[in-house]
Amino acid sequence: MCTECLITLPRLSGHTADTGIGEALSNGPAPPGFSAVWFRYKRDSPFAELVRSAKYGNRPRQARMLGRAFARELIADYPAAIEKVDVLMPVPMHWFKQIRRGYNQSHEIAAGISDITGIPIGDNLVAVSPHASQTHRSRQKRLTNVQGTVACRLPAELHDLDICLVDDIVTTGATLSECVLAIGRAGARPASIGALALGAPE
């Protein structure tokens, strides 16, 4: 990212009150942990294009670069909170979709965050069935659309860990909610579950 982009980025300063993250984490098997969103996602802005091109434009290195930039600011603004996180957990992508796309952008973002923070990346969450695109769906339809699509393997590995789920954009929190529920259904008992996302719509 150029210096001008970094200066003009419509930052959320980590606030997640109106992003759907709080509700997504509320039904989990652990207290809500550290959560942050980097910037306000406006569909017609050049910053939205950064995420779209990383997601759909065969640019995994760009997704990783965005994760690194986000992580540098997280360390500067929330050093104590970041230090407590034990594992980054990318929102999973179904294997068929990942073969078609070539990569999971959430994993690349998590890899960028890990590059800067040193926090390891977990692979306990898996997408067990595909789902249709979430674009242009209401929150209720998004929740229904992703229901039962995520599972958690080896749940004992997550015992007493502070987890941060990682995604590119949190719109209603439906996908994050399904990840949280999957962790609970598997019987995992982490110390906390938080979430990190690059953007959230207005």
Side-chain angles (χ1 to χ4, degrees), residues 164-175:
C164 254
L165 301 169
V166 180
D167 206 358
D168 53 356
I169 301 297
V170 54
T171 305
T172 62
T175 304

Side-chain angles (χ1 to χ4, degrees), residues 160-183:
D160 278 344
L161 296 185
D162 288 290
I163 300 169
C164 254
L165 301 169
V166 180
D167 206 358
D168 53 356
I169 301 297
V170 54
T171 305
T172 62
T175 304
L176 290 178
S177 180
E178 183 59 26
C179 291
V180 170
L181 291 172
I183 291 170

Side-chain angles (χ1 to χ4, degrees), residues 38 66 134 140 160 174 181 197:
W38 194 18
L66 291 169
Q134 295 282 70
Q140 188 55 49
D160 278 344
L181 291 172

Side-chain angles (χ1 to χ4, degrees), residues 64-117:
R64 192 161 182 159
M65 176 273 293
L66 291 169
R68 288 172 178 160
F70 184 26
R72 290 187 186 99
E73 295 194 15
L74 289 174
I75 288 176
D77 295 338
Y78 309 101
I82 282 292
E83 191 173 314
K84 281 189 62 179
V85 177
D86 294 307
V87 62
L88 302 169
M89 199 72 66
V91 169
M93 179 181 287
H94 190 257
W95 64 267
F96 184 70
K97 185 175 184 180
Q98 186 159 337
I99 286 175
R100 290 172 58 191
R101 184 170 294 175
Y103 59 96
N104 175 359
Q105 74 279 356
S106 295
H107 186 277
E108 295 300 325
I109 294 165
I113 295 172
S114 179
D115 288 343
I116 301 301
T117 64

